[in-house]
Structure formats: structure tokens, C-alpha cells
Short mmCIF file of all heavy atoms in Angstrom, two decimals:
data_model
loop_
_atom_site.label_atom_id
_atom_site.label_comp_id
_atom_site.label_asym_id
_atom_site.label_seq_id
_atom_site.Cartn_x
_atom_site.Cartn_y
_atom_site.Cartn_z
N THR A 1 15.97 -0.04 -3.98
CA THR A 1 14.61 -0.48 -4.30
C THR A 1 14.02 0.53 -5.27
O THR A 1 13.94 1.72 -4.98
CB THR A 1 13.74 -0.57 -3.04
OG1 THR A 1 14.40 -1.42 -2.10
CG2 THR A 1 12.37 -1.15 -3.36
N THR A 2 13.62 0.05 -6.44
CA THR A 2 13.07 0.91 -7.49
C THR A 2 11.65 0.47 -7.81
O THR A 2 11.41 -0.71 -8.08
CB THR A 2 13.93 0.83 -8.76
OG1 THR A 2 15.29 1.13 -8.42
CG2 THR A 2 13.45 1.79 -9.82
N LEU A 3 10.73 1.44 -7.77
CA LEU A 3 9.35 1.16 -8.18
C LEU A 3 9.20 1.61 -9.62
O LEU A 3 9.53 2.74 -9.97
CB LEU A 3 8.36 1.95 -7.30
CG LEU A 3 8.48 1.77 -5.79
CD1 LEU A 3 7.43 2.62 -5.09
CD2 LEU A 3 8.34 0.33 -5.41
N ILE A 4 8.69 0.73 -10.45
CA ILE A 4 8.44 1.06 -11.85
C ILE A 4 6.93 1.10 -12.03
O ILE A 4 6.23 0.11 -11.79
CB ILE A 4 9.09 0.03 -12.79
CG1 ILE A 4 10.60 -0.02 -12.50
CG2 ILE A 4 8.82 0.38 -14.25
CD1 ILE A 4 11.31 -1.19 -13.11
N MET A 5 6.45 2.27 -12.41
CA MET A 5 5.02 2.50 -12.50
C MET A 5 4.49 2.08 -13.87
O MET A 5 5.26 1.86 -14.81
CB MET A 5 4.72 3.98 -12.25
CG MET A 5 5.41 4.54 -11.00
SD MET A 5 5.07 3.63 -9.50
CE MET A 5 3.48 4.28 -9.10
N VAL A 6 3.16 1.97 -13.99
CA VAL A 6 2.56 1.54 -15.25
C VAL A 6 2.82 2.53 -16.38
O VAL A 6 2.82 2.13 -17.54
CB VAL A 6 1.04 1.28 -15.10
CG1 VAL A 6 0.77 0.11 -14.19
CG2 VAL A 6 0.30 2.51 -14.61
N ASP A 7 3.06 3.81 -16.05
CA ASP A 7 3.35 4.79 -17.10
C ASP A 7 4.83 4.86 -17.44
O ASP A 7 5.26 5.70 -18.23
CB ASP A 7 2.83 6.18 -16.70
CG ASP A 7 3.54 6.77 -15.50
OD1 ASP A 7 4.39 6.07 -14.89
OD2 ASP A 7 3.24 7.93 -15.15
N GLY A 8 5.66 3.98 -16.81
CA GLY A 8 7.08 3.93 -17.10
C GLY A 8 7.94 4.75 -16.15
O GLY A 8 9.17 4.66 -16.19
N ALA A 9 7.33 5.56 -15.29
CA ALA A 9 8.10 6.36 -14.34
C ALA A 9 8.79 5.43 -13.34
O ALA A 9 8.27 4.37 -13.00
CB ALA A 9 7.18 7.34 -13.61
N LYS A 10 9.97 5.86 -12.89
CA LYS A 10 10.73 5.06 -11.93
C LYS A 10 10.98 5.91 -10.69
O LYS A 10 11.32 7.09 -10.80
CB LYS A 10 12.06 4.61 -12.52
CG LYS A 10 11.91 3.65 -13.66
CD LYS A 10 13.26 3.21 -14.19
CE LYS A 10 13.08 2.24 -15.35
NZ LYS A 10 14.36 1.78 -15.88
N TYR A 11 10.82 5.29 -9.53
CA TYR A 11 11.07 5.96 -8.26
C TYR A 11 11.98 5.08 -7.41
O TYR A 11 11.72 3.89 -7.24
CB TYR A 11 9.76 6.19 -7.49
CG TYR A 11 8.80 7.10 -8.21
CD1 TYR A 11 7.80 6.59 -9.01
CD2 TYR A 11 8.91 8.48 -8.08
CE1 TYR A 11 6.92 7.42 -9.67
CE2 TYR A 11 8.02 9.32 -8.74
CZ TYR A 11 7.04 8.80 -9.53
OH TYR A 11 6.17 9.62 -10.19
N ILE A 12 13.04 5.68 -6.89
CA ILE A 12 13.92 4.98 -5.96
C ILE A 12 13.44 5.34 -4.56
O ILE A 12 13.28 6.52 -4.23
CB ILE A 12 15.38 5.39 -6.16
CG1 ILE A 12 15.83 4.99 -7.57
CG2 ILE A 12 16.28 4.75 -5.11
CD1 ILE A 12 17.20 5.48 -7.96
N VAL A 13 13.21 4.33 -3.73
CA VAL A 13 12.69 4.54 -2.38
C VAL A 13 13.68 4.01 -1.35
O VAL A 13 14.55 3.20 -1.66
CB VAL A 13 11.30 3.87 -2.21
CG1 VAL A 13 10.28 4.51 -3.14
CG2 VAL A 13 11.37 2.38 -2.46
N ARG A 14 13.54 4.47 -0.12
CA ARG A 14 14.44 4.04 0.96
C ARG A 14 14.10 2.66 1.49
O ARG A 14 14.97 1.96 2.00
CB ARG A 14 14.35 5.03 2.12
CG ARG A 14 14.89 6.38 1.79
CD ARG A 14 14.78 7.29 2.98
NE ARG A 14 15.21 8.63 2.59
CZ ARG A 14 15.16 9.67 3.37
NH1 ARG A 14 14.68 9.56 4.59
NH2 ARG A 14 15.58 10.84 2.95
N GLU A 15 12.84 2.26 1.42
CA GLU A 15 12.39 1.00 1.99
C GLU A 15 12.93 -0.18 1.19
O GLU A 15 13.20 -0.08 0.00
CB GLU A 15 10.86 0.94 2.01
CG GLU A 15 10.21 1.93 2.95
CD GLU A 15 10.09 3.34 2.38
OE1 GLU A 15 10.48 3.57 1.22
OE2 GLU A 15 9.62 4.22 3.11
N SER A 16 13.04 -1.31 1.88
CA SER A 16 13.47 -2.55 1.21
C SER A 16 12.32 -3.11 0.38
O SER A 16 11.16 -2.71 0.54
CB SER A 16 13.91 -3.58 2.25
OG SER A 16 12.78 -4.02 2.99
N LEU A 17 12.65 -4.05 -0.48
CA LEU A 17 11.64 -4.71 -1.30
C LEU A 17 10.57 -5.34 -0.43
O LEU A 17 9.37 -5.17 -0.67
CB LEU A 17 12.30 -5.75 -2.19
CG LEU A 17 11.38 -6.63 -3.03
CD1 LEU A 17 10.70 -5.80 -4.11
CD2 LEU A 17 12.16 -7.76 -3.67
N ALA A 18 11.00 -6.04 0.63
CA ALA A 18 10.04 -6.71 1.52
C ALA A 18 9.13 -5.71 2.21
O ALA A 18 7.92 -5.95 2.36
CB ALA A 18 10.79 -7.55 2.55
N GLU A 19 9.67 -4.56 2.62
CA GLU A 19 8.86 -3.55 3.30
C GLU A 19 7.84 -2.92 2.35
O GLU A 19 6.71 -2.67 2.72
CB GLU A 19 9.75 -2.47 3.92
CG GLU A 19 8.99 -1.54 4.83
CD GLU A 19 9.89 -0.55 5.55
OE1 GLU A 19 11.13 -0.70 5.50
OE2 GLU A 19 9.35 0.37 6.17
N VAL A 20 8.25 -2.67 1.11
CA VAL A 20 7.32 -2.11 0.12
C VAL A 20 6.17 -3.08 -0.12
O VAL A 20 5.01 -2.69 -0.12
CB VAL A 20 8.04 -1.77 -1.20
CG1 VAL A 20 7.05 -1.41 -2.29
CG2 VAL A 20 9.05 -0.65 -0.99
N ILE A 21 6.51 -4.35 -0.30
CA ILE A 21 5.47 -5.36 -0.53
C ILE A 21 4.54 -5.46 0.67
O ILE A 21 3.32 -5.54 0.53
CB ILE A 21 6.11 -6.72 -0.87
CG1 ILE A 21 6.77 -6.64 -2.25
CG2 ILE A 21 5.07 -7.84 -0.84
CD1 ILE A 21 7.61 -7.82 -2.61
N ASP A 22 5.10 -5.42 1.88
CA ASP A 22 4.29 -5.48 3.09
C ASP A 22 3.35 -4.28 3.20
O ASP A 22 2.18 -4.43 3.54
CB ASP A 22 5.19 -5.55 4.32
CG ASP A 22 4.40 -5.71 5.60
OD1 ASP A 22 3.58 -6.65 5.67
OD2 ASP A 22 4.60 -4.89 6.53
N ARG A 23 3.85 -3.10 2.88
CA ARG A 23 3.00 -1.89 2.93
C ARG A 23 1.88 -1.95 1.91
O ARG A 23 0.75 -1.55 2.18
CB ARG A 23 3.85 -0.64 2.73
CG ARG A 23 4.70 -0.31 3.93
CD ARG A 23 5.43 0.99 3.71
NE ARG A 23 6.27 1.30 4.85
CZ ARG A 23 6.79 2.50 5.06
NH1 ARG A 23 6.57 3.47 4.21
NH2 ARG A 23 7.55 2.71 6.11
N ILE A 24 2.17 -2.43 0.72
CA ILE A 24 1.14 -2.56 -0.31
C ILE A 24 0.08 -3.57 0.13
O ILE A 24 -1.12 -3.33 0.01
CB ILE A 24 1.75 -2.93 -1.67
CG1 ILE A 24 2.56 -1.75 -2.22
CG2 ILE A 24 0.66 -3.34 -2.67
CD1 ILE A 24 3.36 -2.07 -3.47
N ALA A 25 0.52 -4.71 0.67
CA ALA A 25 -0.42 -5.74 1.13
C ALA A 25 -1.29 -5.22 2.26
O ALA A 25 -2.51 -5.46 2.29
CB ALA A 25 0.34 -6.98 1.56
N THR A 26 -0.69 -4.48 3.20
CA THR A 26 -1.45 -3.91 4.31
C THR A 26 -2.48 -2.90 3.81
O THR A 26 -3.63 -2.90 4.25
CB THR A 26 -0.49 -3.24 5.32
OG1 THR A 26 0.43 -4.21 5.80
CG2 THR A 26 -1.23 -2.62 6.48
N TYR A 27 -2.08 -2.06 2.87
CA TYR A 27 -2.99 -1.07 2.30
C TYR A 27 -4.18 -1.75 1.61
O TYR A 27 -5.33 -1.40 1.84
CB TYR A 27 -2.23 -0.20 1.29
CG TYR A 27 -3.11 0.67 0.44
CD1 TYR A 27 -3.65 1.84 0.93
CD2 TYR A 27 -3.42 0.30 -0.88
CE1 TYR A 27 -4.47 2.64 0.14
CE2 TYR A 27 -4.22 1.09 -1.67
CZ TYR A 27 -4.75 2.26 -1.15
OH TYR A 27 -5.57 3.02 -1.94
N ARG A 28 -3.89 -2.75 0.81
CA ARG A 28 -4.97 -3.44 0.09
C ARG A 28 -5.88 -4.22 1.03
O ARG A 28 -7.09 -4.27 0.84
CB ARG A 28 -4.39 -4.36 -0.98
CG ARG A 28 -3.80 -3.56 -2.12
CD ARG A 28 -3.31 -4.42 -3.24
NE ARG A 28 -2.84 -3.57 -4.34
CZ ARG A 28 -2.06 -3.99 -5.29
NH1 ARG A 28 -1.67 -5.23 -5.32
NH2 ARG A 28 -1.67 -3.16 -6.23
N ALA A 29 -5.31 -4.81 2.08
CA ALA A 29 -6.13 -5.52 3.07
C ALA A 29 -7.07 -4.55 3.77
O ALA A 29 -8.23 -4.88 4.04
CB ALA A 29 -5.23 -6.23 4.08
N ARG A 30 -6.57 -3.36 4.07
CA ARG A 30 -7.43 -2.36 4.73
C ARG A 30 -8.57 -1.91 3.80
O ARG A 30 -9.70 -1.75 4.24
CB ARG A 30 -6.61 -1.15 5.16
CG ARG A 30 -7.47 -0.14 5.88
CD ARG A 30 -6.68 0.69 6.86
NE ARG A 30 -7.59 1.45 7.68
CZ ARG A 30 -7.95 2.71 7.40
NH1 ARG A 30 -7.46 3.32 6.36
NH2 ARG A 30 -8.81 3.33 8.18
N ILE A 31 -8.28 -1.72 2.53
CA ILE A 31 -9.31 -1.33 1.57
C ILE A 31 -10.39 -2.41 1.49
O ILE A 31 -11.58 -2.12 1.52
CB ILE A 31 -8.71 -1.07 0.18
CG1 ILE A 31 -7.74 0.11 0.22
CG2 ILE A 31 -9.78 -0.86 -0.87
CD1 ILE A 31 -8.36 1.42 0.65
N VAL A 32 -9.98 -3.66 1.42
CA VAL A 32 -10.95 -4.77 1.35
C VAL A 32 -11.78 -4.83 2.64
O VAL A 32 -12.99 -5.00 2.60
CB VAL A 32 -10.23 -6.11 1.08
CG1 VAL A 32 -11.16 -7.29 1.26
CG2 VAL A 32 -9.66 -6.11 -0.33
N SER A 33 -11.12 -4.66 3.79
CA SER A 33 -11.86 -4.73 5.06
C SER A 33 -12.85 -3.58 5.16
O SER A 33 -13.94 -3.73 5.70
CB SER A 33 -10.91 -4.75 6.26
OG SER A 33 -10.28 -3.51 6.43
N MET A 34 -12.49 -2.41 4.64
CA MET A 34 -13.42 -1.28 4.64
C MET A 34 -14.61 -1.57 3.74
O MET A 34 -15.75 -1.22 4.06
CB MET A 34 -12.71 -0.01 4.20
CG MET A 34 -11.74 0.53 5.24
SD MET A 34 -10.76 1.91 4.64
CE MET A 34 -12.03 3.15 4.41
N ALA A 35 -14.36 -2.21 2.60
CA ALA A 35 -15.44 -2.51 1.66
C ALA A 35 -16.45 -3.48 2.27
O ALA A 35 -17.64 -3.39 1.99
CB ALA A 35 -14.86 -3.09 0.37
N TYR A 36 -15.97 -4.39 3.12
CA TYR A 36 -16.85 -5.35 3.75
C TYR A 36 -17.36 -4.90 5.11
O TYR A 36 -18.07 -5.63 5.78
CB TYR A 36 -16.15 -6.71 3.88
CG TYR A 36 -16.10 -7.43 2.56
CD1 TYR A 36 -14.95 -7.41 1.78
CD2 TYR A 36 -17.20 -8.12 2.08
CE1 TYR A 36 -14.90 -8.05 0.56
CE2 TYR A 36 -17.16 -8.77 0.86
CZ TYR A 36 -16.01 -8.72 0.11
OH TYR A 36 -15.97 -9.36 -1.11
N GLY A 37 -16.98 -3.69 5.53
CA GLY A 37 -17.49 -3.15 6.77
C GLY A 37 -16.88 -3.76 8.01
O GLY A 37 -17.44 -3.62 9.10
N THR A 38 -15.74 -4.43 7.89
CA THR A 38 -15.12 -5.03 9.06
C THR A 38 -14.14 -4.08 9.72
O THR A 38 -13.71 -4.31 10.83
CB THR A 38 -14.39 -6.34 8.70
OG1 THR A 38 -13.43 -6.06 7.69
CG2 THR A 38 -15.38 -7.38 8.22
N ASP A 39 -13.77 -3.00 9.05
CA ASP A 39 -12.87 -2.01 9.59
C ASP A 39 -13.72 -0.81 10.00
O ASP A 39 -14.15 -0.05 9.15
CB ASP A 39 -11.85 -1.60 8.52
CG ASP A 39 -10.87 -0.57 9.04
OD1 ASP A 39 -9.86 -1.00 9.60
OD2 ASP A 39 -11.13 0.63 8.88
N LEU A 40 -13.99 -0.68 11.28
CA LEU A 40 -14.86 0.39 11.75
C LEU A 40 -14.06 1.37 12.58
O LEU A 40 -13.96 1.24 13.80
CB LEU A 40 -16.02 -0.19 12.57
CG LEU A 40 -16.89 -1.19 11.83
CD1 LEU A 40 -17.90 -1.81 12.78
CD2 LEU A 40 -17.61 -0.52 10.68
N PRO A 41 -13.46 2.38 11.94
CA PRO A 41 -12.66 3.35 12.69
C PRO A 41 -13.54 4.17 13.63
O PRO A 41 -14.71 4.40 13.36
CB PRO A 41 -12.03 4.22 11.61
CG PRO A 41 -12.87 4.04 10.41
CD PRO A 41 -13.49 2.67 10.53
N VAL A 42 -12.95 4.62 14.72
CA VAL A 42 -13.67 5.45 15.68
C VAL A 42 -14.02 6.78 15.04
O VAL A 42 -13.21 7.39 14.36
CB VAL A 42 -12.81 5.67 16.94
CG1 VAL A 42 -13.49 6.60 17.91
CG2 VAL A 42 -12.47 4.34 17.58
N GLY A 43 -15.25 7.23 15.24
CA GLY A 43 -15.67 8.52 14.73
C GLY A 43 -15.96 8.55 13.25
O GLY A 43 -15.94 9.60 12.64
N ARG A 44 -16.24 7.43 12.65
CA ARG A 44 -16.51 7.44 11.21
C ARG A 44 -17.83 8.14 10.93
O ARG A 44 -18.71 8.20 11.77
CB ARG A 44 -16.53 6.02 10.65
CG ARG A 44 -17.68 5.20 11.14
CD ARG A 44 -17.63 3.81 10.53
NE ARG A 44 -18.74 3.05 11.03
CZ ARG A 44 -19.98 3.11 10.53
NH1 ARG A 44 -20.24 3.90 9.53
NH2 ARG A 44 -20.94 2.40 11.04
#
């Protein structure tokens, strides 16, 4: 699995393509939920 960045850099990672996509989707979903105030971590 190779990540190609916008600046042309390439990184080989251990995770599968599906796992990388899942992690990116989870990260972005958390950012959106934080923006809308639906993600309220303890002790914020």
C-alpha cells in the first residue's frame, strides 16, 4: 500500500488499502462531528 501525497512524496505503509481508507473516513467523520458539537469528549 503506497500513499502518494499532493507534493509527490510516496510512503509505503503496513495497512491495507481498505484499512487506510477506513482510517481516513473515521478521522474525517470525527472532525465533522466535532465541528457540529456532536462529539463531546469527557473533560473537554
Side-chain angles (χ1 to χ4, degrees):
T1 305
T2 306
L3 306 180
I4 302 167
M5 312 305 280
V6 294
D7 65 355
K10 294 181 180 181
Y11 297 95
I12 298 173
V13 297
R14 293 181 184 175
E15 293 80 3
S16 68
L17 175 68
E19 190 174 350
V20 171
I21 291 171
D22 184 53
R23 287 184 181 195
I24 291 172
T26 301
Y27 168 79
R28 289 185 176 162
R30 182 153 190 266
I31 296 300
V32 169
S33 70
M34 288 173 66
Y36 284 99
T38 57
D39 181 87
L40 301 174
V42 176
R44 68 179 180 82

